[in-house]
């Protein structure tokens, strides 16, 4: 009672376990080799479309271009994980509050995996020769 239903509260602070569960799913898919996963804050979520994993100046050299491509793919994955997870948290919250629908962790996990998989499928269809993608198992291709 009395909690403000701000976007920040819904996506990062709500005591309902759904948002933490979804962010945990995202963190488990994130390949830790690029940088450790950190719990997103509202600024990261709202600005996720501009996130890039920095590449060093050496990544422009021919031997390091693969590393630069991996960082580009990892940046793309991070943008997907943040945006799709935030949207699912919002959607499930609306279903819970407005429709009074409850979801099990298994239902939420299935839904999240389907959303992420569908996004990978769409991205894979539009991939150019120089684009690196990450599959549902976190493998780079």
């Amino acid at each position: 009672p009395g909690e403000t239903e701000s976007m920040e509260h819904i996506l990062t602070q709500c005591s309902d376990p759904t948002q933490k569960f979804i962010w945990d799913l995202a963190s488990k898919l994130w390949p830790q080799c690029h940088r450790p996963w950190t719990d997103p804050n509202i600024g990261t979520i709202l600005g996720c479309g501009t996130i890039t994993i920095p590449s060093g100046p050496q990544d422009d050299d021919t031997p390091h271009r693969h590393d630069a491509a991996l960082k580009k793919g990892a940046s793309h994955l991070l943008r997907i994980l943040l945006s799709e997870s935030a949207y699912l948290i919002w959607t499930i919250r609306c279903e819970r509050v407005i429709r009074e629908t409850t979801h099990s962790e298994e239902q939420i996990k299935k839904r999240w995996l389907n959303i992420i998989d569908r996004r990978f499928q769409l991205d894979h269809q539009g991939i150019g020769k120089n684009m690196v993608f990450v599959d549902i198992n976190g493998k780079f291709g």
Side-chain angles (χ1 to χ4, degrees), residues 55-68:
S55 53
Q58 75 277 8
D59 290 343
D60 292 334
D61 296 339
T62 303
H64 298 289
R65 285 201 179 142
H66 182 70
D67 292 341

Side-chain angles (χ1 to χ4, degrees), residues 86-112:
Y87 182 71
L88 182 60
I89 291 166
W90 171 256
T91 303
I92 289 176
R93 178 258 177 212
C94 289
E95 291 170 3
R96 179 178 53 84
V97 171
I98 298 167
R99 294 188 198 159
E100 298 179 357
T101 305
T102 58
H103 302 85
S104 69
E105 282 190 352
E106 187 58 36
Q107 290 170 320
I108 294 168
K109 182 177 181 179
K110 234 180 189 176
R111 200 163 159 184
W112 184 83

Side-chain angles (χ1 to χ4, degrees), residues 20-41:
K20 179 169 180 2
F21 181 70
I22 291 172
W23 290 127
D24 285 346
L25 290 171
S27 75
K28 288 175 186 163
L29 184 59
W30 175 247
Q32 298 289 324
C33 62
H34 293 287
R35 69 175 205 184
W37 178 267
T38 54
D39 290 334
N41 60 46

